[in-house]
Amino acid sequence: MGKEITIQTNANIALIKYWGKRNEELFLPTKSSLSVGLAALTTTTRLTATDSNSDQIFINKEPAKPTTATNIISFLNVIRKNFNLTSRFCIYSENNFPTAAGLASSASGFAAIALGVNQACALNLNVRQLSILARRGSGSACRSVVGGFALWHAGLQPDGQDSYAEQFLPAGHWPTFRVIIAVVSAQEKVTSSRAGMQCTVATSPVYAQWLADSNRRLDVLKRALVEKNFSVTGQVAEADCLGMHQTMHTSRPPLNYWTDTTIAVMQAVKNLRIVLGLECYFTIDAGPNVKILCQENTAPEIARHITAIPGVQQVITSQVAHAPTVTQAPASLSTPTGLGKKPA
Ligand code: PMV
């Protein structure tokens, strides 16, 4: 039994989305994407290498459901094969937010496993290599490895060695940036993002147009983030989200992750912005929950309005996440070996 490693990772929300793979096995995307790490959505994972004959996986104090366990064990098998490891792993992962409801629990979860195995088995991978590794668990996980504003380069190489995320800007670059998470449903989604993407890429007649528009928007967003231009950041993120959902809605069969409450929150965001002058923008992943981009000074008032919408179950206001931390047990003697600082 090896030493216990504790990893703290955060979910991320893409401002410029990833939706579609060019290689299913290697999780290579059709385009680059850019996300913001969510400090309030934390996954704490404890991982130990063992010499038992099977992996043991617990999520939120329960044995992982069969599909989740299969995905995690496939990922561990990829790691074992790549690095010639024979160990099995004991993994306890807890989210402080609803799992698999479009709040990107897979991103923070797979990032944690990549970081934990690296530490437990002394693989000595650098951040780029860790991001490449996490990508094999879930595409968006490669962005949770770096924290802050994370840019995932699509890359061109067939082996995926140039498809990784790097921290485009640290969390400290924009301390007043906020994301309000409106939890509309804590239920697990019916169509996985993996299946949804495949269907969209294969059948949506507007997919190619979204790719081209989204690539253009990425350049605009990069500049807006550097300049801390909130209006452009929000406009571009909202446009990219709507474009991605349009590709889903026009797939055969059509794919829809929104509920009536999702639409009510989207409408409320527009009203807050246009009628009340509270500047905010929405973005939504492959699930019903809505993330609202805003700034520190207006966040409490916006959160109050969103909380009052019927059907909204929970509202969480988040700052930008720093990079993950990795520590080795025993806790009292542990030396932080994190990739960055924890949020204050
Ligand atoms: O990495 P996955 O399989 O969780 O896919 C994530 C896809 C979106 O969340 C919809 C967009 C994104 O870029 O995170």
Side-chain angles (χ1 to χ4, degrees):
M1 192 89 164
K3 292 216 174 89
E4 187 181 89
I5 313 296
T6 302
I7 314 102
Q8 280 226 340
T9 46
N10 294 94
N12 69 74
I13 172 81
L15 304 177
I16 293 292
K17 306 290 189 189
Y18 145 59
W19 192 252
K21 296 181 180 68
R22 68 174 197 278
N23 179 317
E24 291 289 331
E25 194 201 334
L26 297 178
F27 291 75
L28 296 177
T30 50
K31 60 186 281 295
S32 297
S33 56
L34 202 158
S35 65
V36 54
L38 301 172
L41 303 188
T42 303
T43 300
T44 304
T45 305
R46 291 182 291 128
L47 179 146
T48 316
T50 72
D51 42 22
S52 92
N53 51 15
S54 63
D55 296 306
Q56 287 181 5
I57 300 152
F58 293 82
I59 299 192
N60 293 336
K61 300 194 171 78
E62 311 236 328
K65 297 207 180 98
T67 39
T68 310
T70 304
N71 287 340
I72 294 175
I73 292 167
S74 306
F75 179 50
L76 292 171
N77 287 339
V78 166
I79 303 180
R80 279 190 278 262
K81 188 165 173 226
N82 277 4
F83 298 98
N84 241 332
L85 302 173
T86 51
S87 311
R88 295 290 181 268
F89 297 92
C90 192
I91 298 171
Y92 293 86
S93 199
E94 272 189 59
N95 300 313
N96 71 345
F97 56 91
T99 301
L103 290 183
S105 60
S106 63
S108 49
F110 282 109
I113 294 172
L115 292 163
V117 173
N118 176 54
Q119 181 78 11
C121 300
L123 300 179
N124 293 319
L125 302 180
N126 62 32
V127 178
R128 173 173 169 166
Q129 291 166 320
L130 285 165
S131 179
I132 289 172
L133 185 59
R135 195 198 70 222
R136 300 288 302 272
S138 156
S140 55
C142 78
R143 301 186 308 234
S144 274
V145 165
V146 298
F149 293 90
L151 173 58
W152 175 9
H153 302 282
L156 293 168
Q157 287 173 213
D159 64 2
Q161 289 306 305
D162 58 351
S163 184
Y164 64 97
E166 64 182 344
Q167 201 179 80
F168 178 65
L169 289 164
H173 169 75
W174 202 342
T176 56
F177 193 88
R178 294 289 180 274
V179 180
I180 296 173
I181 300 118
V183 180
V184 162
S185 163
Q187 297 293 305
E188 292 202 19
K189 55 194 170 204
V190 177
T191 310
S192 68
S193 47
R194 193 178 296 203
M197 293 182 193
Q198 273 174 0
C199 173
T200 305
V201 173
T203 64
S204 169
V206 297
Y207 187 72
Q209 186 62 51
W210 176 68
L211 280 186
D213 292 345
S214 189
N215 281 327
R216 262 194 306 276
R217 280 192 285 259
L218 178 60
D219 291 331
V220 179
L221 178 70
K222 280 158 77 176
R223 174 183 275 262
L225 289 175
V226 169
E227 293 172 352
K228 289 184 258 189
N229 183 332
F230 182 70
S231 302
V232 174
T233 298
Q235 284 160 17
V236 164
E238 206 174 271
D240 204 61
C241 156
L242 287 171
M244 177 183 76
H245 283 272
Q246 198 191 6
T247 68
M248 298 169 179
H249 297 163
T250 52
S251 296
R252 293 286 168 269
L255 184 57
N256 174 39
Y257 288 104
W258 298 347
T259 65
D260 290 351
T261 312
T262 309
I263 295 166
V265 175
M266 292 160 76
Q267 195 56 51
V269 166
K270 278 196 178 164
N271 287 345
L272 288 172
R273 185 168 73 220
I274 294 159
V275 182
L276 296 185
L278 292 167
E279 196 176 12
C280 56
Y281 301 87
F282 61 78
T283 183
I284 305 159
D285 277 344
N289 302 308
V290 186
K291 286 85 178 181
I292 299 151
L293 313 178
C294 63
Q295 298 184 84
E296 185 184 20
N297 57 341
T298 50
E301 203 178 337
I302 294 169
R304 254 196 315 278
H305 281 280
I306 299 299
T307 307
I309 298 171
V312 171
Q313 297 178 2
Q314 197 187 348
V315 167
I316 307 163
T317 301
S318 182
Q319 302 193 23
V320 181
H322 292 259
T325 59
V326 181
T327 50
Q328 193 159 305
S332 53
L333 302 173
S334 66
T335 331
T337 51
L339 299 166
K341 285 189 208 137
K342 269 187 175 178

